[in-house]
Structure formats: C-alpha cells, structure tokens
Amino acid sequence: MKKQLLALVATLAVGASALAADPKLVINPDQPGPVIHRNIYGQFAEHLGTGIYEGMWVGPESKIPNVRGWRKDVVSALKDLKVPLVRWPGGCFADEYHWRDGIGPRNKRPIKINTNWGGVPETNAVGTHEFFDLVEQLGAEAYVNGNLGTGSAQEMSEWLEYMTGEGKSTLTDLRRKNGRDKPFRVHYFAVGNESWGCGGNMRPEYYVDLYRQAATFLKTPENNRPLFIASGGHDARTDWTEVLAKGLKGVPFDAISHHGYTLPTGKWEKKGSAVGFPEAEWISTLAHTQRVDEWVRKNTALLDQHDPARKVGFYFDEWGSWYDPEPGSNPGFLVQRNTLRDALLAALHFHVFHAHAERVKMSNVAQMVNVLQAMILTSKDQLVLTPTYHAFKLYTPFQDATSLPATLENNPVYKVGATEMPGLSATAARGKDGKLYVGLVNANANQPAELTVQVGSTSPKAARGQLLTAAAMDAQNELGKAPQVLPQAYEAQAAGGRLTLKLPAKSVLVVAIEG
C-alpha cells in the first residue's frame, strides 16, 4: 500500500510538472484594445559622440556615398526599419543648443564645445535644414526639442516661426534665403529636456511656471501645429507627472516625457559590462522591464485622476540599456557593444508600451547610431546592424496595429539567485494588413519553452514569422566579422488540433497566426 501511495504521489508530481511546463497563450480577438501607435518605435539622435557626425553625417564632400551629407547605407537601413519618428537635437545637448548656430553656410557656422558629451568641438554642421532633410529622406516625423535651460521663450518662438512660418517675415525670408521655401513640418516640439537634471536642475513647480510662460508664445500656423511636450520625470518618480498634470491646464500641452534607462547593476558608478557578463546580469537587465511597467502604470494612474478624458500622452522618450563605456573609448561618447541581451530587452520594452498604448503613444530608444543601445554601428565606410536593429525589424508589423488581450497561462518562472521574472512574455495585435501578430520572448538563458496558442475558442492552424536567437548571451554583430545574431525563418503547423510554438532559450519570436 505504501508503495502504491508513493507511486501515486510521484505520478501526480510528474503531472503537475508537465502542467507547469506547458504554458498556453490565450488571445481574445473579439475585444480589441487601443491602437499601438507607430511612434512607440521612435528613434533618438543626439549630438553625442559619433551618433550623428561620422555615424550618419559625413558631409556632401565625403567619399562615403551620401545624399546631401547623409550616409546612403545608414539611411537605407533605417528606411528598411520603417523609422516613424526622430527626436533631435537632444537630450542634454538640447538645452545648450541655439538654433541660429545651425543655419546658413556651414563654413561660417560657429564652433562650440559640447560640454555635455566629451568636451569635443561641435561644428554645427548639422542644423535645422540638415535634420529635416534626414527625416524627409526617411519618411519619418520630426520631434524637435527646444532649449529651455540656456534658451528663452523668445528663442523657441522664433525657431518655430523660422520652421513653420508661411507668410513674409524676416525669419521666413531667412529660411528661404537658406534654401527652404516651404515650411518644415514639425510634428512634436518639447519645451526643455530632463529639467530635473541636465536641463536646469529645476523643481517641477518652477518648471511649470517656465513652461506656461513659454507656451504662451509658441505659435504656429494652425495646419502646422506640433504636439507640445512637457519635460517630465524619470524612473520611479511620479511628482513631475502630478505637478504638470495639475499646473499645465489651460495652455498648449499634449504630453509628458519620461525617461528610464536599464543598468544591469542598478548603479551609475559601475553599471556593468556590455559583454562577458554573468547570468545574474542577464536576468537583472531583462527583469528591469517589470519596473518600467510599474513606472508607467503609476504615472498613467495619476494622469487618469487629473485627465480622465485621457487627452494627455505619456511619452517614454528615452529608454535603453546603459553599460560601462567600451574600454579605450571617450567615456563621454557612450560607446557600448550591442548583444542578444539588448534584442530581448528591446522586445520586452515593446510589450510594456503595447500594454499601455492608450497613453504611451511615443517612445524613443537611445540612440540610433553608435551611441548606447544603437540600431547601427559604423566605422569609416563600414556598417553593421545590431541585434537591437533586428528586434525592431521583427516588430514592424505592430506599428499602428490594434492591440488584443493576450494572457499567458502557466507561465514558468525564471530565477537566478534572488532575481526572478516571468520566463515568457507575450503581446498580440491585429495588424493594418488584417493579420493576427504575436510577439514572444523567452527570457530564460538556458531552458527552451513550448506553448500552445488559443485564439478565442479555437486553435489556429499555423504560425509563420521570424525568430531571433544565438548560442551565447553576449552574441553580437561586429564590424568586419560574420554576424552572430540574425533573424531566421520560423514556421509551426498545428498537430492534433493544437498549435504549439517552440521557443529556444534566450529568444525573440514574432509570427503571424493563421486559421
């Protein structure tokens, strides 16, 4: 009898183990949620290191193939990524940038020192006209960050008139003299950046007063009115959101920006290495996205109290990994390698922003080229696409897609030391093409996973898409070497009335569900 009981207990344990190891993704196609705005996949280009100069801008006289100074290969790669929006000129640089320095003949523009990033000369070769040429080549929207820190309401209002003015005035004539007859299309305009820190070390109450003053004078033609963005808080802070939501009623105010970076160690003085890291820093990096979700939830809940109509957006316009700088590089250039870990980190951020798509209608990864969690790395005439680039490419079907409820049942727990997180993450949406798309991440660095997919009350017939994974946690694509992280075709067919998706350890998968 005792043996029988032991056998029964063992059988039940095996059954429970099998159940726990068999997650299910349940999608409800009959309850569509908010649209996932394409600008959730926005980009950020700051005057920082070789992020613009050398990385993207080489000048019209360069032997590197270019269109009016912008590298053809970089622009082509970014167009393939369907970059929807570019934020410029900063970042911290924005609050020391004076737009008049960046217009007129390039050989006559003043040379300044970039005091924020490396103490190197800023030639102002890339200014207003060059920036708009870039976004127009990309077919992207323009997000211009105004200078509140060392600038003024007058300077910002005059810049807007220069960019958007239609009639005859000294400023519009100056724009025409500099080669642009019709106005530039400004989609977004921010009043300052990180005003709690590098943008002026302000209190939110003081910033509100400055914003209200500036917004009074930020005027454009009605058909070219940008959405106005207020500089908000960062990380877990909610005080900026509350003060801004209360204090900016009655003035042009469309969104609050919020920033949050991922540091493996959580310590700015020693952030952690971009390569050669232990599994403890793999999971601490990926698990950080749970905190990002919490930050968004708490801030948007505050906005709901003060803006129940949900007219004000919550834009996470700086995010990404931030590691110790590449040895031998200028620490102020924020050079770091990009690995498979960054691809998973990007996908997990996408899932968070999709879940909050009603408020989060923009986010901007930091940054496009050669800086922090970059899409592209360049050196002279060479170029390589990073794992993060490929993650963005996989998720392009989610741009302007309609979100759908997606629940993971029996989701395994991934744990390393004291840090734990859900092993799987999922998002689902109906694309503009009518297809049902699913994005999945297996965060576990060692264990593959399988899950069945249920759509409504039915089991779909097949799934087709692309998988991103590699053998090593720090697999990377290096200049001049064969890439280690590339998307590969993926297909799964239903069997026995069930569609099962198999995910390797440390992988990202995006598929269209059929039938």
Side-chain angles (χ1 to χ4, degrees):
M1 184 67 178
K2 186 176 180 181
K3 289 183 179 180
Q4 290 175 324
L5 286 172
L6 289 172
L8 177 61
V9 169
T11 301
L12 289 172
V14 170
S17 175
L19 180 65
D22 187 21
K24 178 193 284 188
L25 175 64
V26 180
I27 302 167
N28 191 335
D30 300 322
Q31 294 183 358
V35 170
I36 298 166
H37 200 291
R38 63 188 177 280
N39 287 342
I40 281 177
Y41 292 87
Q43 301 280 333
F44 178 28
E46 183 169 7
H47 289 241
L48 196 171
T50 59
I52 291 180
Y53 302 116
E54 298 181 36
M56 289 192 284
W57 173 267
V58 291
E61 299 79 21
S62 174
K63 294 181 180 179
I64 297 174
N66 67 85
V67 176
R68 294 180 295 278
W70 294 105
R71 289 179 60 144
K72 281 186 176 181
D73 55 355
V74 170
V75 170
S76 176
L78 293 171
K79 287 180 71 174
D80 287 345
L81 207 55
K82 297 182 180 178
V83 170
L85 170 137
V86 182
R87 178 177 180 237
W88 171 87
C92 293
F93 181 81
D95 279 300
E96 293 188 9
Y97 179 68
H98 300 283
W99 68 270
R100 289 178 184 271
D101 293 342
I103 60 173
R106 279 189 288 272
N107 61 357
K108 294 183 179 179
R109 295 179 189 177
I111 297 175
K112 302 289 184 71
I113 298 298
N114 190 332
T115 62
N116 283 295
W117 304 119
V120 295
E122 164 59 55
T123 66
N124 284 300
V126 171
T128 301
H129 291 254
E130 290 80 12
F131 167 67
F132 279 95
D133 187 21
L134 172 64
V135 294
E136 288 170 1
Q137 287 188 42
L138 292 174
E141 293 185 344
Y143 173 179
V144 176
N145 214 122
N147 179 350
L148 182 67
T150 63
S152 65
Q154 178 180 350
E155 184 176 13
M156 284 186 280
S157 68
E158 290 179 349
W159 195 10
L160 277 173
E161 181 182 344
Y162 180 88
M163 290 186 287
T164 68
E166 295 175 340
K168 184 175 177 59
S169 73
T170 299
L171 286 170
T172 57
D173 283 350
L174 181 59
R175 185 191 70 226
R176 294 181 181 107
K177 178 183 177 182
N178 289 329
R180 177 75 175 205
D181 180 30
K182 69 176 185 177
F184 297 113
R185 178 69 176 98
V186 182
H187 297 85
Y188 300 88
F189 189 88
V191 179
N193 164 77
E194 292 191 359
S195 297
W196 44 264
C198 64
N201 286 305
M202 303 177 193
R203 295 175 298 108
E205 295 81 3
Y206 180 69
Y207 173 82
V208 163
D209 288 339
L210 292 182
Y211 182 101
R212 292 183 68 89
Q213 179 196 25
T216 306
F217 305 102
L218 300 181
K219 302 172 183 177
T220 67
E222 190 60 33
N223 64 355
N224 200 353
R225 178 194 181 276
L227 295 181
F228 289 102
I229 303 171
S231 175
H234 65 99
D235 298 340
R237 292 187 68 167
T238 58
D239 54 331
W240 278 79
T241 295
E242 185 162 24
V243 172
L244 268 58
K246 288 180 179 177
L248 295 183
K249 294 177 180 178
V251 296
F253 166 52
D254 299 291
I256 295 172
S257 77
H258 196 88
H259 295 174
Y261 287 93
T262 302
L263 287 59
T265 65
K267 299 176 181 178
W268 284 98
E269 61 274 13
K270 184 65 177 175
K271 306 173 192 70
S273 176
V275 293
F277 48 82
E279 189 178 353
E281 289 188 9
W282 164 276
I283 191 173
S284 67
T285 301
L286 301 185
H288 186 265
T289 54
Q290 296 177 98
R291 299 181 65 193
V292 173
D293 182 69
E294 181 183 358
W295 301 341
V296 176
R297 279 192 293 103
K298 288 184 175 180
N299 278 280
T300 54
L302 271 174
L303 272 178
D304 286 345
Q305 294 175 24
H306 300 287
D307 174 39
R310 298 185 175 179
K311 293 181 179 179
V312 177
F314 187 74
Y315 295 170
F316 216 102
D317 60 5
E318 283 190 34
W319 65 269
S321 58
W322 197 322
Y323 309 129
D324 295 331
E326 179 72 7
S329 68
N330 184 327
F333 282 13
L334 307 187
V335 178
Q336 64 185 43
R337 300 196 194 190
N338 196 291
T339 71
L340 178 65
R341 176 175 62 169
D342 296 290
L344 270 72
L345 180 67
L348 290 170
H349 272 85
F350 302 155
H351 294 189
V352 171
F353 299 147
H354 292 182
H356 299 281
E358 192 164 18
R359 287 279 191 189
V360 181
K361 298 181 184 295
M362 182 206 292
S363 81
N364 304 82
V365 66
Q367 294 185 8
M368 288 175 80
V369 179
N370 289 341
V371 175
L372 295 177
Q373 193 174 344
M375 307 296 105
I376 297 170
L377 302 178
T378 68
S379 177
K380 297 180 181 178
D381 62 348
Q382 289 185 301
L383 169 151
V384 70
L385 306 178
T386 68
T388 296
Y389 177 97
H390 293 302
F392 269 79
K393 186 75 178 291
L394 258 64
Y395 279 79
T396 54
F398 287 93
Q399 292 189 20
D400 289 333
T402 301
S403 60
L404 297 173
T407 304
L408 272 167
E409 299 177 357
N410 303 322
N411 194 348
V413 174
Y414 174 41
K415 185 174 182 180
V416 178
T419 304
E420 66 178 51
M421 65 181 293
L424 299 173
S425 176
T427 188
R430 182 75 65 184
K432 290 195 297 181
D433 58 6
K435 295 180 180 179
L436 173 58
Y437 289 96
V438 171
L440 289 162
V441 174
N442 180 7
N444 195 304
N446 306 300
Q447 297 298 322
E450 291 187 12
L451 73 160
T452 57
V453 180
Q454 180 179 318
V455 179
S457 59
T458 65
S459 177
K461 297 177 180 177
R464 290 182 176 85
Q466 289 191 308
L467 175 74
L468 194 66
T469 189
M473 293 185 295
D474 62 350
Q476 60 183 304
N477 299 338
E478 297 183 78
L479 290 160
K481 297 182 180 180
Q484 299 177 5
V485 187
L486 287 174
Q488 52 192 275
Y490 182 96
E491 182 175 346
Q493 298 287 338
R498 294 182 0 146
L499 176 66
T500 301
L501 302 181
K502 298 181 179 181
L503 281 75
K506 51 187 180 303
S507 64
V508 180
L509 175 67
V510 174
V511 290
I513 303 294
E514 301 174 7

